[in-house]
Amino acid sequence: MSAGFGITCPLEKKSKKMHIKRSLFAVLVALIAASANAQFDGPAPLAWRWLSQSGVASSGAPLVNGDIIYEAAGGRIYAIDRLTGNKKWQYPPEDPIPGIFRFAPILAKDTLIAVGDNKIIYAIDPTTGSGKWNYTLTAAPIGQPVLAGDLIVQAQSDNKLMAVDLASGQAAWKNKDTGDVAPYNVFDGVAGQIAASGQDVLYFTGQEELHCLDVITRTENIWARPIRFTQLSPYAVPLVYQSQIYVTSGQYLIDVDPASGVVTWQTETGFNTAFSPAASSQGVFVVSEDGQAMVYDLNTGQPTPGMPKPILLGSYPSTRPSAVGSKFVIPTTNGAINLIDPANGSILWSYVIRPIGTLKASKAASTGPGRGPGGAGQGFGAPGLGGGGQNNQDQEITELQASGPVALAGQTLLVPAQDSSLLAFDKDLGVDLTPPNVQMLFPTPGDQVAGQPPLVLFFKVRDEGSGVAETTLKVLIDGKEYDHTYMRDGSVIVHFRTSGKNPYPGQGRHTITLDVADWLGNEARQDFAITIDNSLPPVVLPGQATNNNGRPGFGGGGPGKGGGGGED
């Protein structure tokens, strides 16, 4: 392995330093045991959907602690009961902070830690929601804070790392001579988001290097040298799993030993990786910029037997993937939450997030945060709400993206959405006995239309309970099955041809049947009727000059550009 293969660092073996303390080992064992009991096999019905009043979604996965879920939204942190979706408490209890919690909180031992874009770190009692202490940073935060040893470490927009003592809330790094607060300078600039391994902080720099800083000694002598990569995503986060570090770089997945900084293995994926990977006992899950996904063996870096080649997601990834027991979940820009089985490379379930009520694209464009890097002071914006088709200002949003990675609480899958809602899917807590809702939008059922080009049939299929099982969908005309196109916004299009498959229906009355089921087997079979009269003029979809683009202009679409995540 040499320069150009994802990294430019020697791979000679070095002696390893046992840097992980017994307490950390005990924590890892507990986490592994907890993850073994947590499982989401899917499909599952929607058990509840919690919605904050702020309308501002944070990025990052919801924080889970037993049956309590902690979620950031706007200027508050909320504690939500997993079983009911009811709010237990909110912080602050009265007025929100003078800023926004742009990232999910973390649990540091017996304290909840959240950072606002007003440069303040808040320590909260996770049981009562009462405040413990506040600490004001010298610059705006970048990403989530991390717990390293007994210190809270936060990356700042002035390219410094700041450490705060968890117990006292006081600055932990000070000048020995003057006693002044002394943040750690990252001279090449902080890139991506930081992570922690024991009492070490892992961070990327503007030189595309991975550094390891001991927060107790404030030295980087644990590794012989930092690891340099050839390419890093702006969303890069070092993934620490079972005492190893996994990093994606361009088309490469790299495994690093955190004790020595030695690259254990690296493998070429064959595609440009997006976001950081996810890992479980089943392997390391990697997703590409164009919507391909692969799983690699933890120890060898080789493709796992169940996924010898990439699986196609049908859309672009919108945020980091997550491990949910023995499966993986990856949200995509078409609003879908996709459950992947690494044992056979199949999509076990796909659910599209719908807005609550009516949401117009013009509103989404003005309020949704952008996908790209934020402005000077604020790391990364979440994916925008977006809008698709034509005449964007007049369109109704039909699907929402996830605002951050999903999380698993026992067997409950938690999905944060761009409208600042939180969706919970659970086989025991939720009930779905309702089949999909089927509508024929064009032509209007009972209409008389010309059976000649450019006639198309346009339907809308929705299921809020467990989602539409696309493979069950059939469209029949007078009992004969016709080919169709299904889109994740629920649109179903039937195009006719002058020869071969899908012939135009002849003169007279025709029965059109749409047959579809949801992921839990609830079936809908709906009949519609139209009459073909070729003496009438040809018809096209409303808002379209032709029917070639497949759906009306009011359809939903991809990620919105929005504003950056920068500080005002």
Side-chain angles (χ1 to χ4, degrees):
M1 301 181 188
S2 59
F5 282 71
I7 58 174
T8 54
C9 65
L11 304 185
E12 68 271 15
K13 294 182 179 180
K14 301 184 179 75
S15 60
K16 297 182 179 181
K17 298 181 180 179
M18 296 306 296
H19 195 67
I20 301 176
K21 299 183 181 294
R22 292 182 180 179
S23 59
L24 174 62
F25 179 77
V27 171
L28 290 172
V29 170
L31 290 174
I32 294 170
S35 64
N37 295 326
Q39 185 64 256
F40 185 83
D41 293 319
L46 180 64
W48 49 261
R49 186 171 184 175
W50 175 85
L51 179 65
S52 79
Q53 297 178 350
S54 72
V56 180
S58 69
S59 62
L63 175 63
V64 175
N65 183 28
D67 282 335
I68 305 300
I69 303 156
Y70 302 101
E71 181 74 338
R76 286 192 174 97
I77 301 295
Y78 298 89
I80 305 164
D81 182 75
R82 179 187 72 86
L83 301 178
T84 64
N86 293 331
K87 181 182 71 175
K88 295 181 73 68
W89 54 255
Q90 65 182 26
Y91 177 87
E94 302 297 335
D95 296 331
I97 68 167
I100 293 175
F101 291 109
R102 297 191 179 275
F103 299 91
I106 67 168
L107 189 62
K109 299 183 179 180
D110 61 349
T111 302
L112 200 65
I113 300 294
V115 60
D117 63 3
N118 59 344
K119 306 178 186 178
I120 297 177
I121 298 177
Y122 297 85
I124 308 165
D125 186 307
T127 303
T128 64
S130 59
K132 289 187 172 183
W133 52 257
N134 295 346
Y135 181 84
T136 302
L137 301 167
T138 57
I142 297 178
Q144 287 179 295
V146 299
L147 175 66
D150 291 322
L151 303 183
I152 300 298
V153 181
Q154 176 68 58
Q156 299 184 160
S157 60
D158 58 356
N159 294 318
K160 295 179 180 180
L161 302 178
M162 187 59 215
V164 179
D165 182 77
L166 175 60
S168 65
Q170 300 297 311
W173 293 341
K174 296 183 178 181
N175 186 291
K176 293 181 179 179
D177 297 326
T178 64
D180 295 335
V181 174
Y184 185 84
N185 290 301
V186 181
F187 295 104
D188 290 326
V190 178
Q193 297 188 43
I194 63 176
S197 176
Q199 66 182 44
D200 301 330
V201 168
L202 306 168
Y203 66 92
F204 294 113
T205 70
Q207 295 296 318
E208 298 186 321
E209 292 181 340
L210 177 61
H211 291 244
C212 180
L213 174 70
D214 186 317
V215 300
I216 305 301
T217 64
R218 292 188 64 186
T219 61
E220 296 191 7
N221 60 5
I222 299 169
W223 294 357
R225 60 180 67 86
I227 304 171
R228 173 162 290 186
F229 300 89
T230 57
Q231 183 179 352
L232 288 175
S233 163
Y235 309 101
V237 185
L239 172 65
V240 181
Y241 179 75
Q242 290 189 351
S243 302
Q244 290 296 109
I245 304 169
Y246 298 96
V247 177
T248 53
S249 172
Q251 294 194 357
Y252 285 81
L253 172 65
I254 301 107
D255 175 21
V256 178
D257 172 44
S260 62
V262 171
V263 173
T264 306
W265 54 256
Q266 60 177 337
T267 187
E268 185 175 9
T269 63
F271 50 67
N272 292 324
T273 57
F275 300 104
S276 297
S280 73
S281 60
Q282 304 302 305
V284 187
F285 184 88
V286 180
V287 65
S288 74
E289 293 176 348
D290 60 356
Q292 302 180 66
M294 275 288 290
V295 179
Y296 297 92
D297 185 271
L298 291 167
N299 299 314
T300 66
Q302 297 301 307
T304 57
M307 292 187 66
K309 62 180 181 179
I311 183 175
L312 303 181
L313 301 173
S315 186
Y316 308 111
S318 61
T319 188
R320 298 197 310 270
S322 303
V324 289
S326 62
K327 311 296 188 297
F328 294 96
V329 172
I330 175 67
T332 44
T333 55
N334 58 4
I337 305 300
N338 306 282
L339 179 67
I340 309 299
D341 186 355
N344 54 25
S346 63
I347 298 179
L348 294 178
W349 177 60
S350 185
Y351 182 94
V352 177
I353 306 172
R354 306 294 182 191
I356 298 175
T358 301
L359 182 64
K360 296 293 185 180
S362 56
K363 179 180 179 181
S366 64
T367 61
R371 286 191 69 204
Q378 179 58 52
F380 306 94
L385 294 175
Q390 300 176 358
N391 303 320
N392 189 55
Q393 295 302 311
D394 299 323
Q395 293 165 11
E396 179 183 348
I397 297 298
T398 57
E399 64 269 349
L400 295 175
Q401 295 176 21
S403 62
V406 307
L408 188 62
Q411 66 172 15
T412 305
L413 185 71
L414 303 167
V415 181
Q418 274 296 335
D419 60 354
S420 76
S421 67
L422 181 66
L423 294 82
F425 298 88
D426 191 292
K427 293 180 180 179
D428 294 336
L429 300 179
V431 177
D432 181 12
L433 301 176
T434 305
N437 176 266
V438 177
Q439 294 177 291
M440 184 175 181
L441 300 183
F442 184 82
T444 303
D447 273 2
Q448 294 183 357
V449 294
Q452 53 186 302
L455 177 67
V456 299
L457 305 181
F458 182 79
F459 307 86
K460 185 73 75 172
V461 180
R462 295 287 183 85
D463 189 273
E464 304 296 338
S466 58
V468 175
E470 179 182 347
T471 57
T472 67
L473 180 61
K474 294 181 181 180
V475 179
L476 302 96
I477 301 179
D478 299 330
K480 179 183 177 181
E481 187 172 350
Y482 273 57
D483 291 345
H484 65 272
T485 300
Y486 174 78
M487 288 169 278
R488 292 298 179 87
D489 66 350
S491 300
V492 180
I493 306 288
V494 175
H495 290 277
F496 297 103
R497 302 180 180 90
T498 55
S499 62
K501 291 184 176 181
N502 285 29
Y504 281 87
Q507 287 276 124
R509 187 178 185 278
H510 298 274
T511 299
I512 301 168
T513 304
L514 195 147
D515 195 345
V516 65
D518 63 20
W519 285 96
L520 294 184
N522 300 304
E523 183 180 7
R525 186 179 177 91
Q526 188 73 41
D527 290 335
F528 308 94
I530 61 171
T531 299
I532 297 298
D533 183 351
N534 287 325
S535 66
L536 298 173
V539 291
V540 296
L541 289 164
Q544 303 294 320
T546 71
N547 287 336
N548 294 331
N549 60 353
R551 62 172 173 173
F554 51 73
K561 303 220 181 236
E567 186 183 39
D568 293 333

